[in-house]
Amino acid sequence: MSYHLFINYTYLIVEPNSGHAIVVDPAWELDKITQQLEKAHANLRAILLTHSHYDHVNLVPTLSDWMQPDVFMSQKEIDASGFRCKRLHAVNDKDRLLLGELPFHCLLTPGHTAGSMCFQLEKSLFTGDTLFTEGCGACPVPGGSPEAMYLSMQRLKAEIKDDVRIFPGHSFGMSPGQTMGHLCKNNIYLQLNREHFIRFRMRKNQQGLFDFQ
């Protein structure tokens, strides 16, 4: 799928008992976010950021000014990118965030950026631009690293159970929510050894950043 057709996903999670809401990577379409919050009678409590790229953090200042949520990003990403916003909190690998009654587990997965982080909530994993259903994120310089991305892919393959559903930052044909078991069977980046992974991820003459085949 060509670059101009890719889809950017923002996720809204609402805790049923309290009505507190968490948004993952708010990028575009503020009206849609606020409409969903109103529909659920929910208050925005927190924002989880998988990394600092503009297409994942664009709405953070607006939402921060309007609803005063806490914002969470990996310490490594904050240090590497210089990202700042109101009520910003640093998290580290293996931290556990209890947002209301919702427990999020933080997994540092560098490769797309130096401090990319995935957030797991029970049987759901929000992966940003680390792991896609169809591939994995690009490894741009500076900040990106195909070697680090390979290790992050191997970590997710080892630690995430087959029945966990993957919710990436972008989609290139299949809808979000495919299981990790499906990805392990169908995503080529989870099947390559280190040498082949690096060579394939960084190969020349790709049609675009999101050319996975």
Side-chain angles (χ1 to χ4, degrees), residues 3 20 26 55 100 111 175 191:
Y3 178 81
H20 290 149
D55 63 324
S175 60
Q191 301 169 20

Side-chain angles (χ1 to χ4, degrees), residues 85-209:
C85 70
K86 296 177 181 177
R87 291 170 293 278
L88 179 62
H89 304 276
V91 289
N92 293 291
D93 188 34
K94 300 181 181 180
D95 279 355
R96 183 175 181 268
L97 286 176
L98 187 61
L99 301 177
E101 298 178 2
L102 300 179
F104 289 85
H105 180 59
C106 304
L107 295 90
L108 189 66
T109 53
H112 180 62
T113 65
S116 290
M117 180 165 277
C118 297
F119 296 95
Q120 184 173 6
L121 173 63
E122 299 174 342
K123 296 296 184 179
S124 299
L125 182 70
F126 302 92
T127 56
D129 285 3
T130 295
L131 177 62
F132 303 135
T133 305
E134 307 85 352
C136 72
C139 303
V141 176
S145 164
E147 293 85 358
M149 182 67 89
Y150 173 77
L151 294 175
S152 292
M153 293 294 100
Q154 293 303 302
R155 179 185 186 184
L156 293 177
K157 187 176 180 179
E159 295 185 15
I160 303 303
K161 294 182 179 180
D162 284 350
D163 61 345
V164 172
R165 296 193 176 276
I166 306 302
F167 294 95
H170 303 284
S171 176
F172 307 93
M174 297 191 71
S175 60
Q178 305 298 318
T179 65
M180 188 66 184
H182 172 87
L183 269 65
C184 285
K185 293 178 181 178
N186 295 281
N187 186 326
I188 191 172
Y189 285 96
L190 293 169
Q191 301 169 20
L192 299 174
N193 64 31
R194 182 189 183 104
E195 178 184 354
H196 290 159
F197 179 98
I198 294 172
R199 184 188 306 161
F200 188 63
R201 176 64 279 183
M202 304 306 289
R203 67 197 185 279
K204 297 180 180 180
N205 302 318
Q206 297 182 57
Q207 294 179 357
L209 291 177

